[in-house]
Amino acid sequence: MRLKTEGSLKKNVYRGDALVEPPPPELAAILDKHRGHPDALITVLEEIQHHYGYLPQQQLEYAARELGFPLSRIYGVVTFYNLFQFTPPGRYQVRVCKGTACHVGHSGEIQDHLMDKLGIAEDETTPDKLFTMQTVACVGACSLAPVMVVNERTYARMTPDKAWEALQHLREETKEEA
Ligand code: FES
């Protein structure tokens, strides 16, 4: 049997390992800003999620390598905070506020109604990739409670029916665009 040379072993080890490449420029820009600041891990993760819409596994591996964090620590942080997502969100991120003012205004019923209509649970995405259901704590619009936020838009004084109507409207708009 022929022994592999050092060169061929290297090739085999590295083939298909995307991390031998430098991080993509947009990720490198985020990592470079925070290099040498070990307390900035949450900020780094927020910026990665803001850029990609979620936290792709490969980008987390780059972050661990480039910033010198054990990958297990990064996953520990990501799984602890429910603002972080491992999967790409739907086109519309539907966030029902569960802060005190909205809770008192029955935002729980609004969310239950939407989840029932959409057939998904919290943090899930509809099979057509249109809606992802999430909750948030106070979004700072308590005078408009109960509030639903879809992507960047805030919907004031929601009821279960009004919230569902708003989502149906977005679905219609998306169909017209297609
Ligand atoms: S509690 Fe919902 S916006 Fe403040």
Side-chain angles (χ1 to χ4, degrees):
M1 192 175 78
R2 220 177 112 216
L3 285 175
K4 284 179 177 157
T5 63
E6 197 184 316
S8 69
L9 270 177
K10 262 189 192 156
K11 253 192 205 161
N12 282 336
V13 168
Y14 290 142
R15 188 182 300 142
D17 179 0
L19 292 191
V20 296
E21 303 292 341
E26 66 281 0
L27 178 64
I30 295 171
L31 300 178
D32 285 346
K33 257 196 294 177
H34 301 289
R35 212 176 284 282
H37 301 284
D39 52 345
L41 178 56
I42 293 177
T43 310
V44 170
L45 295 172
E46 281 175 336
E47 289 184 17
I48 294 173
Q49 178 157 293
H50 188 257
H51 181 81
Y52 293 96
Y54 71 112
L55 293 172
Q57 185 182 338
Q58 192 181 75
Q59 315 313 341
L60 295 182
E61 288 173 16
Y62 273 125
R65 186 188 75 179
E66 296 288 314
L67 301 180
F69 292 113
L71 194 54
S72 58
R73 177 158 169 221
I74 291 188
Y75 276 103
V77 170
V78 173
T79 50
F80 183 78
Y81 293 100
N82 65 4
L83 76 143
F84 293 124
Q85 294 172 223
F86 283 117
T87 52
R91 173 169 179 163
Y92 299 108
Q93 287 181 268
V94 180
R95 299 184 176 101
V96 176
C97 181
K98 292 284 192 76
T100 306
C102 291
H103 176 72
V104 169
H106 306 289
S107 61
E109 286 170 28
I110 295 170
Q111 191 185 34
D112 287 347
H113 186 65
L114 296 181
M115 291 195 300
D116 195 39
K117 288 284 195 183
L118 294 171
I120 55 173
E122 194 176 333
D123 293 326
E124 287 184 355
T125 300
T126 51
D128 60 5
K129 309 275 182 244
L130 214 48
F131 299 109
T132 299
M133 176 57 61
Q134 294 167 326
T135 55
V136 278
C138 180
V139 294
C142 306
S143 62
L144 307 176
V147 162
M148 170 176 83
V149 180
V150 181
N151 294 353
E152 305 300 321
R153 181 172 169 186
T154 302
Y155 292 77
R157 298 187 185 89
M158 285 288 100
T159 62
D161 287 342
K162 275 163 77 176
W164 176 236
E165 227 171 80
L167 298 196
Q168 281 179 304
H169 186 68
L170 291 171
R171 182 174 267 152
E172 287 308 314
E173 268 183 11
T174 309
K175 267 191 210 153
E176 281 165 23
E177 281 169 23

